[in-house]
Amino acid sequence: MTRVVLLGSSPGPDTAPTGLRLAALPGNPTVAERLRSQILSLDPQPAMIEPGDLAGALRALADVAESATENLFLIPDNSIVHDELIYQITKAKRGALALVAKEPRPDTIDQAQEELVPIDEAEPEIGLNTLEGLPVRARAGKSRVISVGTANHAVTRPNTALLGPLHVSARNAPLLAETCRELADMADAFGADDDLIQLIVFGLVRNGMSVGIRGRRDLFYRRVTTQEETNEAGIEMSGIDEDRARLDNAVKGADGFFTTYFVSTYSRFIARWAARRGLTPNQVTLISIALGVLAAACFATGDRPWMVAGGVLIYFAFVFDCVDGQVARYARKFGVLGAWLDATFDRFKEYVVFAGLAVGWVVSGNSDDIWILALAALGLQSTRHLLDFSFGISNRRKPPAQLPTLPLNAPDDRALRKALERRKVERSQGIRGVLKMWSRAGRFKAVHWARKMIVFPIGERFAAIAITAALFDARITFLTLVIWGSVAAAYTLTGRLMRSLA
């Protein structure tokens, strides 16, 4: 459940008549009508912060945050936005997430480029509204906001713009309430052009909250103030394929090389086909399991044609293993049973294939020593899964790092940026420095994919099984699994030890 807070027109960029009509959209709804239907799907009784004086609006928002038991989604009432973008923002696991634009609008690009010329770090710029939204300094590597400008608070080198929607987790609601009250007490320090959302993010960042950033990418968001802007937005929005964007977002962005280039390029279309015909993720998981068992049965014959067939089947078992998650994300059908089935039967498919390969080797008249290799591969993979699980649990228990804070009345972000620079220097020494260098090396595509492949993820494992079993024999398959798996285990264990020590 998400608690929605609809922000009424306040001084600055979000002032707009809510009755404006969005002429290019089907049914010709008003901006208010369209946004209301989107909001009601999240929260049947959204909170409304009425327009008025800035201090009063901030205190009203603080009251909402103090009583909130769910995550909070703040959005201006003159927003035109895709449903999928609302979904992506509200389902984020960050403690706070703000929508940003990383590029200026075409009609302001010359002016924006002028404003974004690098300047001396000791001379912050006043946050002028030169971009489509509100000026923000963001840190790409950490994907979070570093500093926000207001009419009377400078931000050094703004490199992106805050657009409007803000999602805050329930655990951060108390800090949101406290920040809003602090901002309300100093409302006279802000300018007439300062925006409510801008001020909230400004306060949260200065109070040490990590506010993540999310770009629009292939979806649409804009705040409108005139009928002309509304009509332009409607035309632009109707030209974007929201369903394709939703489908693309159903594919995990951090998959391995084999999955990215040899599965996800087309599996998303299978997922859409399955979802539109009412197939559930669990049913797709069962198809994947059945294909895995059939592959093991083919391998168990030991005959070359059946080994090739087994290689093809295990490949498609993995394809449908990807499809089940994509169906869940595309159709938004999630469940504990599905997550458990997916995680458990990934291991089952892998291990039953190991058994099938070993049986096939023996029935073909070869030595039964193959079982030693099979057990070595199984034991190595089981140990890796155990280490992955235990490290993940330990990492989740680690308290989040404290971010630097800055008084809300400080006229610029110099002190905050100096604190971040000191932190950066500290983390560039010793083990942390080595880890940081290795992380930076990932900017190079070859290194990025090499790091993905060396850990021997499930896509690469299934690919290795399919190719070696079809072209060679079970002994080669197991040797590949043991050797590559050992390298992966050593690499992963070293990295986790270093991170633990750091």
Side-chain angles (χ1 to χ4, degrees):
M1 181 69 177
T2 300
R3 181 69 168 138
V4 177
V5 182
L6 195 60
L7 303 177
S9 299
S10 62
D14 63 345
T15 302
T18 55
L20 288 173
R21 302 195 71 79
L22 199 53
L25 290 177
N28 197 30
T30 64
V31 172
E33 287 168 350
R34 176 177 171 80
L35 185 61
R36 180 173 176 77
S37 67
Q38 292 171 314
I39 293 308
L40 290 177
S41 66
L42 289 175
D43 185 354
Q45 294 182 317
M48 178 68 189
I49 304 299
E50 298 292 344
D53 69 291
L54 181 60
L58 286 165
R59 290 192 177 96
L61 179 56
D63 291 339
V64 173
E66 282 180 344
S67 61
T69 56
E70 309 94 356
N71 296 341
L72 291 162
F73 179 56
L74 284 60
I75 185 168
D77 71 349
N78 61 336
S79 298
I80 300 175
V81 58
H82 269 133
D83 296 342
E84 177 64 15
L85 188 52
I86 291 178
Y87 176 80
Q88 293 293 328
I89 294 171
T90 55
K91 295 304 176 185
K93 295 181 180 179
R94 297 289 297 255
L97 186 73
L99 183 67
V100 302
K102 296 186 179 181
E103 295 179 356
R105 290 172 63 178
D107 58 350
T108 60
I109 191 167
D110 294 333
Q111 182 183 5
Q113 285 176 342
E114 227 173 86
E115 293 293 333
L116 296 179
V117 171
I119 58 173
D120 190 289
E121 291 286 345
E123 298 178 0
E125 292 178 339
I126 291 294
L128 301 175
N129 295 342
T130 56
L131 299 181
E132 181 179 352
L134 307 157
V136 169
R137 172 73 180 176
R139 188 176 179 185
K142 296 294 184 181
S143 297
R144 66 178 177 84
V145 176
I146 297 297
S147 179
V148 182
T150 75
N152 297 312
H153 297 82
V155 54
T156 305
R157 295 187 188 176
N159 59 1
T160 188
L162 182 67
L163 295 182
L166 174 68
H167 184 253
V168 180
S169 68
R171 70 176 183 273
N172 283 327
L175 181 57
L176 173 62
E178 179 185 340
T179 299
C180 287
R181 296 203 185 282
E182 289 180 32
L183 291 169
D185 291 339
M186 56 180 293
D188 293 340
F190 302 116
D193 289 333
D194 284 330
D195 175 70
L196 186 57
I197 284 279
Q198 174 190 18
L199 295 178
I200 293 167
V201 179
F202 161 82
L204 291 176
V205 171
R206 289 199 169 197
N207 279 338
M209 184 185 293
S210 178
V211 180
I213 58 174
R214 203 260 191 218
R216 288 170 302 186
R217 296 201 287 270
D218 47 1
L219 292 163
F220 186 85
Y221 176 84
R222 185 174 299 174
R223 295 158 75 174
V224 294
T225 58
T226 65
Q227 186 63 55
E228 182 181 0
E229 288 181 359
T230 305
N231 294 338
E232 288 177 1
I235 294 170
E236 188 177 346
M237 188 177 189
S238 63
I240 297 174
D241 188 346
E242 184 179 7
D243 184 71
R244 179 58 188 265
R246 178 172 175 172
L247 185 61
D248 291 342
N249 285 322
V251 178
K252 288 196 297 185
D255 276 327
F257 179 83
F258 181 79
T259 307
T260 299
Y261 289 104
F262 296 95
V263 177
S264 294
T265 50
Y266 67 90
S267 62
R268 67 189 73 187
F269 302 109
I270 300 175
R272 180 165 62 184
W273 181 90
R276 288 179 174 178
R277 281 151 185 80
L279 288 177
T280 66
N282 291 346
Q283 289 170 331
V284 177
T285 298
L286 293 176
I287 294 172
S288 176
I289 295 168
L291 290 173
V293 172
L294 287 174
C298 291
F299 290 143
T301 65
D303 295 333
R304 177 55 52 195
W306 287 109
M307 294 289 284
V308 173
V312 173
L313 286 170
I314 195 62
Y315 167 72
F316 281 105
F318 177 66
V319 170
F320 279 92
D321 182 45
C322 295
V323 169
D324 63 4
Q326 292 164 6
V327 169
R329 288 183 286 275
Y330 178 75
R332 299 172 186 173
K333 293 180 178 178
F334 303 99
V336 175
L337 176 62
W340 175 76
L341 281 175
D342 189 45
T344 302
F345 285 100
D346 278 352
R347 311 289 82 78
F348 170 78
K349 282 180 293 190
E350 204 167 358
Y351 297 161
V352 78
V353 164
F354 288 178
L357 285 166
V359 170
W361 177 265
V362 173
V363 299
S364 296
N366 298 300
S367 168
D368 58 4
D369 289 347
I370 194 71
W371 287 104
I372 297 174
L373 283 175
L375 289 172
L378 189 150
L380 177 62
Q381 197 53 47
S382 297
T383 302
R384 289 186 60 210
H385 289 316
L386 178 62
L387 291 173
D388 289 344
F389 177 77
S390 58
F391 184 79
I393 293 293
S394 301
N395 217 31
R396 284 196 290 272
R397 290 173 180 165
K398 182 179 68 175
Q402 294 295 314
L403 295 177
T405 60
L406 186 68
L408 298 185
N409 58 4
D412 58 55
D413 61 2
R414 241 175 297 195
L416 181 62
R417 291 185 60 76
K418 285 180 180 177
L420 290 170
E421 286 299 321
R422 285 195 301 270
R423 186 171 173 171
K424 184 178 179 181
V425 171
E426 291 171 0
R427 294 189 171 189
S428 298
Q429 300 171 350
I431 295 176
R432 284 185 174 182
V434 175
L435 290 170
K436 193 167 187 178
M437 286 176 59
W438 185 230
S439 177
R440 284 180 174 175
R443 297 174 184 174
F444 299 99
K445 205 167 188 177
V447 176
H448 170 79
W449 288 121
R451 288 188 345 194
K452 289 281 188 181
M453 294 177 71
I454 197 173
V455 297
F456 209 20
I458 187 170
E460 272 67 10
R461 293 201 304 275
F462 275 51
I465 293 170
I467 294 169
T468 56
L471 300 181
F472 304 105
D473 55 45
R475 184 179 292 274
I476 297 298
T477 300
F478 286 126
L479 285 172
T480 301
L481 292 171
V482 170
I483 294 170
W484 194 345
S486 298
V487 172
Y491 171 81
T492 305
L493 189 58
T494 300
R496 286 173 177 173
L497 284 172
M498 292 177 69
R499 285 185 176 83
S500 300
L501 292 172

